[in-house]
């Protein structure tokens, strides 16, 4: 199974590397506009293969879409990342142009591909991709919820540690829905748990509030520390989405998808739980949100619509 990753920057190269290490794809093509960068990173990864037991063939190309022919999944990370103090929405003008031209090129060679959008502002870029390509909605999704959920689990585990419970991160469950946006993402406290124990029964309200607040600014915290946006967890999250599709694992994962009546919303892309499998989005799972979470989700929808309004030019 062939996978293409467009953009060989921090996120794209990490995605290719994690996919290769997981050995679920036969081939990964890494494509970048910058001469030689994708080729060099692919070569570096392949030179780690004998040590890491990698069977996946990673190749790098400079803007050569013919090499991406017949990809089952295409990941779009091309675009500019945030710098400290920037919101994801600040990137919309630049990234809309990049994403649109990349998607046209990708589909010319892989007309049946499932597209995963990473470029920010991701909810708007996913909507742009869906609307401009007119692809069926099962084939276009954006990364956000899985990454934000993983950060939520991390911060819940931190609070458990502070409360004297040395929790393993993999024992913590939590889901984030809504926009991939510092202000309006919605960590679902009512469904968060530590090995089946509702988090509300084991952590104080103050500790939960702290985990929620830290989750929401999780991306900005990393951008502030590193000077550009993060890549290890985003790369792992994207590789997880690709692996779930390629192996038809049908896992329940929050992803940014087009809503057509689910959650009472129409005509926008936003994060909700979906079952992911070989066809891409196999099903959107409508779960009940409690009063406060519903309000927060509605605010998130409103913000996503406001951002989408800036796409009018790109969609004309
Ligand atoms: N075609 C192919 N590659 C492109 C194009 C294009 N039209 N335009 C830019 N690129 C490439 C750049 O050359 C660069 O190598 O995209 C890559 C982006 O890499 P980084 O600058 O390292 O950005 P990264 O941290 O990987 O983030 C990529 O993901 O999380 C989001 O906000 C982030 O939108 C950003 C994207």
């Amino acid at each position: 199974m062939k996978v293409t990753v467009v953009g060989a920057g921090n996120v794209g190269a990490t995605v290719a590397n994690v996919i290769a290490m997981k050995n679920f794809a036969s081939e990964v093509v890494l494509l970048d506009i910058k001469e030689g960068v994708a080729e060099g990173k692919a070569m570096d990864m392949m030179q780690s293969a004998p040590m890491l037991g990698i069977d996946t063939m990673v190749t790098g190309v400079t803007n050569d879409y013919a090499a991406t022919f017949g990809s089952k999944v295409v990941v779009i990370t091309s675009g500019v990342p945030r710098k400290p103090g920037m919101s994801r929405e600040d990137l919309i003008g630049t990234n809309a142009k990049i994403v649109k031209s990349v998607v046209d090129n990708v589909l010319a060679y892989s007309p049946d591909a499932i597209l995963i959008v990473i470029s920010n502002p991701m909810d708007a870029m996913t909507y742009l991709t869906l609307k401009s390509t007119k692809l069926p909605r099962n084939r276009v999704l954006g990364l956000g919820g899985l990454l934000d959920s993983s950060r939520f689990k991390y911060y819940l585990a931190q609070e458990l540690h502070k409360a004297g419970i040395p929790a393993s991160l993999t024992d913590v469950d939590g889901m984030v829905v809504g926009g991939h946006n510092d202000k309006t993402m919605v960590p679902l406290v009512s469904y968060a748990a530590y090995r089946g124990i509702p988090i509300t029964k084991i952590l104080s309200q103050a500790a939960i509030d702290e985990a929620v607040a830290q989750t929401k600014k999780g991306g900005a915290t990393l951008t502030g520390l590193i000077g550009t946006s993060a890549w290890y967890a985003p790369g792992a999250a994207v590789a997880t989405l690709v692996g779930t599709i390629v192996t038809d694992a049908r896992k329940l994962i929050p992803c940014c998808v087009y809503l057509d009546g689910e959650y009472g919303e129409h005509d926008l892309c936003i994060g909700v739980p979906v079952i992911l499998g070989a066809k891409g989005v196999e099903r959107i799972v409508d779960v009940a949100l409690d009063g406060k979470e519903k309000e927060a989700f509605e605010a998130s929808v409103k913000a996503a619509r406001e951002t989408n309004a800036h796409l009018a030019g790109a969609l004309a």
Side-chain angles (χ1 to χ4, degrees), residues 138 252-253 257 273-277 280-286:
N138 63 300
L252 180 75
I253 299 179
V257 293
V274 308
I275 296 175
L276 210 57
V281 180
E282 306 266 345
R283 192 185 165 151
I284 294 174
V285 180
D286 230 322

Side-chain angles (χ1 to χ4, degrees), residues 185-261:
M185 71 175 71
V186 189
L188 295 179
V189 171
S190 62
Y191 290 113
Y194 173 50
R195 269 285 173 198
I197 306 164
I199 210 72
T200 48
K201 299 236 190 274
I202 199 163
L203 281 179
S204 69
Q205 189 58 48
I208 294 172
D209 291 346
E210 176 65 10
V212 166
Q214 292 296 341
T215 301
K216 287 178 143 192
K217 59 178 185 182
T221 298
L222 290 167
T223 304
L225 289 167
I226 307 171
T228 186
S229 54
W231 58 88
Y232 292 115
V238 181
T240 302
L241 296 184
V242 175
T244 305
I245 294 169
V246 166
T247 61
D248 193 20
R250 296 182 303 275
K251 284 189 178 290
L252 180 75
I253 299 179
C255 294
C256 174
V257 293
Y258 185 81
L259 297 187
D260 189 16

Side-chain angles (χ1 to χ4, degrees), residues 26-280:
S26 52
E27 193 181 348
V28 177
V29 176
L30 188 58
L31 180 148
D32 203 282
I33 201 167
K34 270 191 231 143
E35 188 75 44
V37 170
E39 287 87 337
K41 291 193 180 181
M43 192 185 288
D44 192 15
M45 281 174 220
M46 282 292 84
Q47 289 170 4
S48 74
M51 293 172 281
L52 298 177
I54 291 173
D55 298 317
T56 305
M57 173 69 78
V58 185
T59 47
V61 293
T62 302
N63 235 16
D64 175 13
Y65 283 88
T68 69
F69 175 82
S71 296
K72 161 84 179 161
V73 183
V74 177
V75 176
I76 298 158
T77 78
S78 45
V80 290
R82 330 196 241 179
K83 296 290 169 213
M86 284 174 97
S87 76
R88 294 185 176 98
E89 285 63 34
D90 291 334
L91 308 172
I92 193 163
T94 314
N95 283 352
K97 284 197 198 90
I98 295 174
V99 168
K100 207 162 170 247
S101 79
V102 163
V103 165
D104 288 345
N105 284 323
V106 158
L107 289 175
Y109 290 94
S110 302
D112 300 322
I114 292 166
L115 306 181
I116 305 181
V117 180
I118 319 302
S119 311
N120 275 312
M122 181 279 300
D123 301 287
M125 293 302 113
T126 306
Y127 183 77
L128 172 70
T129 301
L130 188 102
K131 285 288 170 178
S132 63
T133 59
K134 300 190 173 58
L135 286 175
R137 66 175 178 155
N138 63 300
R139 284 181 44 204
V140 179
L141 62 141
L143 169 85
L146 178 59
L147 171 61
D148 295 329
S149 300
S150 198
R151 288 179 175 154
F152 186 33
K153 293 174 197 181
Y154 168 81
Y155 283 114
L156 286 171
Q158 298 276 100
E159 293 305 319
L160 285 165
H161 278 247
K162 283 189 218 163
I165 303 163
S168 158
L169 263 156
T170 56
D171 279 351
V172 180
D173 202 5
M175 190 186 286
V176 177
V177 297
H180 182 49
N181 173 306
D182 301 355
K183 293 197 186 78
T184 69
M185 71 175 71
V186 189
L188 295 179
V189 171
S190 62
Y191 290 113
Y194 173 50
R195 269 285 173 198
I197 306 164
I199 210 72
T200 48
K201 299 236 190 274
I202 199 163
L203 281 179
S204 69
Q205 189 58 48
I208 294 172
D209 291 346
E210 176 65 10
V212 166
Q214 292 296 341
T215 301
K216 287 178 143 192
K217 59 178 185 182
T221 298
L222 290 167
T223 304
L225 289 167
I226 307 171
T228 186
S229 54
W231 58 88
Y232 292 115
V238 181
T240 302
L241 296 184
V242 175
T244 305
I245 294 169
V246 166
T247 61
D248 193 20
R250 296 182 303 275
K251 284 189 178 290
L252 180 75
I253 299 179
C255 294
C256 174
V257 293
Y258 185 81
L259 297 187
D260 189 16
E262 299 85 1
Y263 291 84
E265 300 296 339
H266 290 270
D267 196 31
L268 92 156
C269 291
I270 200 154
V272 292
V274 308
I275 296 175
L276 210 57
K279 294 195 189 85

Side-chain angles (χ1 to χ4, degrees), residues 186 188 263-264 288-300:
V186 189
L188 295 179
Y263 291 84
L289 303 179
D290 78 14
K292 262 173 79 183
E293 289 166 353
K294 194 160 189 305
E295 253 172 53
F297 185 78
E298 280 161 11
S300 203

